[in-house]
Amino acid sequence: MSPAANSATELANVSYSPANFASIFAVLTTFVSVIPSNVHEPEELHSLVTSTESTDQLKDLSLNLLASALNRKPKARPSEDQWPRHCTDLAATYVFLLKGLEVPEEAADSLDGFVQQTPTVRVDFLYWLCEIALMDNSSIKQLVDTEAEKGRKTTNTTLATNDSLVRLQPFAEISKQRYWLFGSKTRQFYLESVSQKGKGKFELLAQTVDEFVSAAADLRAQRYNAPKELAGRLVSEVIPYLEAQVKKRCRVERALQRHAIANAHVHVYETRTRKRQRVNYNDDQLLDALDF
């Protein structure tokens, strides 16, 4: 990207997976007591995974996620020197989760090598660590189970989905399967299959509009009423919210692109009576004014 490019242009032309980015943000904002981070808004995470100047915060978050994936407390997180060994061990066990992700070997060779990767690789690698943490971290499972127990004692089982949702109780529970809906400004739909030993395995079912439509269709095709009712909730509560978020995001991106194009085509000329016009490529004020 040329030196004249600004944050608005970058935000409008990101190359990383939006779905994986949304999953990372959902995990960080849902399990803040397990995975410490300074990420509170999507823009903060975007800045972190795209920054080429200061990578200290990216390193800090990466080590915290690695600790969570290893089922460690934040205070017992690995050091930078231990990064290659632990990443290699995790890759050997969870290689199936790497399918479809852009994670080159250089990302696991050293933490410095990882932070030098493109935003696409950074997002895919952090998403991979989040998936492992959801599957195996005992603190996350305990937190989920505790909130699930509270949910069983709640008399109001028809709690509506709202814009500030961070759900820590099952969205639905059918037989020995729990359906979870995570996220604040995003939605991730997980299935937890509970074994006889009480341990659950999480499977990501949907996080985009098309995936939610497909998940609802699969549930609606089942014989019993409970899955059909769950499909109805997805169609009436979740999918409209995601569709509105997509439209909102598209409007923001079009506004950013128009602004970037307008700046790029300002006529610059100079005469004896008119000094050269300077173009301000700093669009931070525009970003602040836009509501994501």
Side-chain angles (χ1 to χ4, degrees):
M1 186 169 292
S2 65
N6 51 50
S7 58
T9 307
E10 291 173 355
L11 190 57
N13 298 283
V14 292
S15 59
Y16 56 69
S17 166
N20 293 349
F21 177 91
S23 289
I24 298 168
F25 180 74
V27 169
L28 294 178
T29 53
T30 301
F31 302 106
V32 291
S33 62
V34 181
I35 309 172
S37 78
N38 292 321
V39 174
H40 306 289
E41 297 294 337
E43 293 76 22
E44 294 172 338
L45 180 59
H46 168 81
S47 176
L48 189 146
V49 298
T50 57
S51 175
T52 57
E53 296 179 357
S54 175
T55 57
D56 291 341
Q57 289 187 344
L58 178 60
K59 286 184 177 182
D60 189 65
L61 175 61
S62 302
L63 289 173
N64 286 340
L65 278 174
L66 179 59
S68 181
L70 294 170
N71 197 19
R72 293 187 182 183
K73 300 293 183 182
K75 293 182 179 180
R77 76 179 192 183
S79 64
E80 290 191 27
D81 294 338
Q82 295 173 325
W83 174 271
R85 176 169 62 87
H86 289 303
C87 288
T88 301
D89 292 343
L90 288 176
T93 306
Y94 300 98
V95 65
F96 63 95
L97 291 177
L98 291 171
K99 185 178 180 181
L101 300 179
E102 293 192 25
V103 181
E105 293 182 2
E106 293 82 356
D109 288 343
S110 69
L111 186 55
D112 286 331
F114 165 67
V115 298
Q116 291 174 3
Q117 299 297 316
T118 63
T120 300
V121 174
R122 292 177 178 181
V123 167
D124 281 4
F125 198 93
L126 296 180
Y127 166 76
W128 178 63
L129 293 178
C130 286
E131 287 292 293
I132 298 174
L134 282 176
M135 292 175 61
D136 282 356
N137 187 279
S138 58
S139 296
I140 290 178
K141 288 184 177 182
Q142 183 180 6
L143 181 60
V144 169
D145 289 339
T146 300
E147 293 298 328
E149 194 64 31
K150 293 179 181 178
R152 294 191 185 96
K153 298 177 182 178
T154 303
T155 56
N156 181 13
T157 58
T158 59
L159 181 64
T161 306
N162 57 65
D163 289 349
S164 60
L165 172 69
V166 178
R167 182 178 295 277
L168 284 180
Q169 62 186 48
F171 189 66
E173 189 167 357
I174 302 174
S175 298
K176 292 185 178 181
Q177 293 182 320
R178 300 171 183 166
Y179 293 86
W180 296 89
L181 192 65
F182 294 133
S184 177
K185 294 185 179 180
T186 58
R187 298 291 185 268
Q188 285 76 46
F189 190 46
Y190 280 87
L191 169 64
E192 181 191 11
S193 300
V194 183
S195 66
Q196 293 181 350
K197 296 181 180 179
K199 295 183 178 180
K201 180 179 179 181
F202 282 88
E203 177 187 357
L204 179 62
L205 298 181
Q207 57 187 342
T208 66
V209 173
D210 291 340
E211 290 172 350
F212 270 99
V213 171
S214 177
D218 292 341
L219 290 167
R220 195 180 292 110
Q222 296 186 28
R223 293 179 55 187
Y224 301 103
N225 289 331
K228 296 180 186 294
E229 293 175 358
L230 176 57
R233 292 188 64 189
L234 294 180
V235 171
S236 63
E237 298 178 24
V238 182
I239 293 177
Y241 175 83
L242 287 176
E243 289 175 338
Q245 289 294 93
V246 170
K247 292 179 180 178
K248 187 176 182 180
R249 186 73 180 181
C250 289
R251 288 197 302 269
V252 171
E253 290 182 351
R254 286 197 298 268
L256 293 172
Q257 289 172 343
R258 287 196 301 270
H259 193 73
I261 292 172
N263 279 347
H265 289 82
V266 171
H267 294 291
V268 179
Y269 59 91
E270 184 177 1
T271 66
R272 288 181 299 174
T273 59
R274 185 182 181 94
K275 297 299 180 181
R276 182 181 297 273
Q277 296 177 344
R278 295 187 178 275
V279 180
N280 178 19
Y281 289 101
N282 183 5
D283 289 337
D284 292 338
Q285 294 180 351
L286 172 65
L287 290 174
D288 292 338
L290 292 171
D291 178 20
F292 286 88

